[in-house]
Amino acid sequence: MSDNDSRGSHQVDALFSHGRLKAIPRRTARREQLLVHLTETLFERDRAYTEREVNDALLTVHEDCSALRRYLVVAGLLVRPKDGSSYRRGR
């Protein structure tokens, strides 16, 4: 792991208290770090998730699961078909 990687993970760790996200970062770069972390830790590659499963996973870290879900989709980290029937890890 490079210094950048460890520094990035340390910065993400600072956003949490007792396993819960303290707040969704307002700064875009910081929020992007968080979203990548959530994608890698909460969602498996090559697996489809229902909206409820996505919400349940996000609720383990923060009560505003709909905001987090929206940020993940906008960032392309979670992708869904137009009908919204499922979610998968993106980029």
Side-chain angles (χ1 to χ4, degrees):
M1 187 184 280
S2 73
D3 284 344
N4 255 356
D5 291 342
S6 62
R7 202 171 29 250
S9 69
H10 176 70
Q11 288 179 340
V12 169
D13 289 345
L15 299 172
F16 289 84
S17 175
H18 305 290
R20 301 280 299 163
L21 181 60
K22 294 184 270 189
I24 299 171
R26 292 176 191 261
R27 283 189 29 234
T28 306
R30 185 89 167 184
R31 188 169 54 236
E32 174 79 9
Q33 287 177 324
L34 169 69
L35 296 174
V36 168
H37 170 78
L38 293 177
T39 303
E40 291 173 351
T41 57
L42 297 177
F43 304 105
E44 298 172 31
R45 287 204 176 281
D46 304 320
R47 176 172 177 237
Y49 292 87
T50 64
E51 185 169 312
R52 174 149 203 159
E53 288 173 318
V54 171
N55 289 345
D56 288 346
L58 294 171
L59 282 168
T60 66
V61 295
H62 196 268
E63 64 276 0
D64 194 351
C65 62
S66 58
L68 286 173
R69 187 184 67 244
R70 193 168 40 254
Y71 283 131
L72 287 164
V73 169
V74 168
L77 293 163
L78 283 183
V79 294
R80 65 181 177 192
K82 285 202 187 305
D83 67 6
S85 60
S86 64
Y87 292 80
R88 289 184 172 275
R89 274 181 64 169
R91 61 178 173 98

